[in-house]
Structures are given as structure tokens and as C-alpha cells.
Amino acid sequence: MIKYQDIADGDPVLDHSRLLKAMENAFEYATAHGGIGLTQTKAFNRKFAHWMADHSPWPRYHTDELMTLNKVLNEWDVPHAMVVHDLIILAKFGRHTKGKFQISKKAQHLACQRGAFFAKIAETYLFEYNHARNARSEFAAPGNWDIFLNIINVEAEQGLTEAHLVKTLYGLEKRAHVIDREYYDHVGFIFTHVLQPLSWLGFLAETSDGMVDVPHRH
């Protein structure tokens, strides 16, 4: 498994990680409320989902934006709330008990060491998390993190898009006036499984001109 360089707890580079901030928000809420409330199906309840949206590190996932699409906010309506729930289970940061998710004392201690906490989150999210959970397709393109990171480490210096990376990795390009399923399958995979996780963790910075479609994201 790829190992990270140690990051000091006070290093400002950690502030670029929106996922770290979302996890810290969840821990803060759990501490203040004696845990995180659960539904009967053991999803995070609406009260917490709404709170996570109110405190979202992502503008596009803030309450005002999400409520344009939803009458109420469930866990699955707030993308980072769902990912945080998945990760705290996968990383064994606590457990479901008596209608709440309780953060363990060990996890609370780790959260006080911001650099180590980030490393655990990043390792779990990149290498253990099932990113297909957030995908619209079951398609899986060939490749692994050694290949993806080595290429992105070079290409991202000057900025890249999903389209650029798909061409570099697989030799596929968008053709004008043609709906190319193979091309869009690869673009979707690269975004969901590679670029979005790296951006959420802060390894990449995503910029756009206000649009969310592929040609405008860098």
C-alpha cells in the first residue's frame, strides 16, 4: 500500500482537505450531542444530515443548494454525510449502539492528532472505500493507484481535466456530434474513482468556470 509522508498537525496544507473538515465536523457534532442519531435503518438521521449540509465545506453541497432538489435532507441526499458515515465504519472509528453512532475514545484521541487523523482518513478513502457506491455506472476501467498517481503527479502541474486524463491513460477522445459510450464510461470512472477522491482529500484543487460538466472542470 502507498504510504504518505508525515504531516505536522499544524501544517496549513491540511486546511485544503474538505473531507478532513467534514470528518472533524461529524466528530464535533457527536461530542456535543452524545453521538449521532440514527434512523431505524441505521442511516444518520435527518437532523444530522441537515446539520452537515449547514456546515458543508463544499458550496455545492450546502443546504441552500441541496434543498433546491429535496424537500427534506436524508443522509443519502448529503454526499459528504454518506461518505463520512461509510468511512467511520470502515476505519472503525466507532459503532452503532442504542440508536446512535458513538465515536470511540481511540478515534477521539486520533482526531486530536490532525496529521495522523488525515493520513488514516486518506488511506481508508483511497484504498479501502468502494467508490462505485457514488457512481452512476458499474463500469470499471483498468488501472491502479500506482499508475493513476504517477501520471497525475506530472500532468496536474499544468492542470488537467477528466478528458485529458482519459486521453493520456486510454487514448480515448470525445468526438464531435457523437455519443460515445466507451468514452463517457471512462470519463465517469476517472472522475468518480480517481479525481473526486483526490480532490475531496485535498491532493488536487478543482476549479471551474461555474459549470459542473466535464469540459469546464480542471
Side-chain angles (χ1 to χ4, degrees), residues 153-166:
N153 192 45
V154 174
E155 298 295 329
E157 285 292 332
Q158 301 301 319
L160 59 81
T161 64
E162 291 98 317
H164 176 85
L165 192 55
V166 166

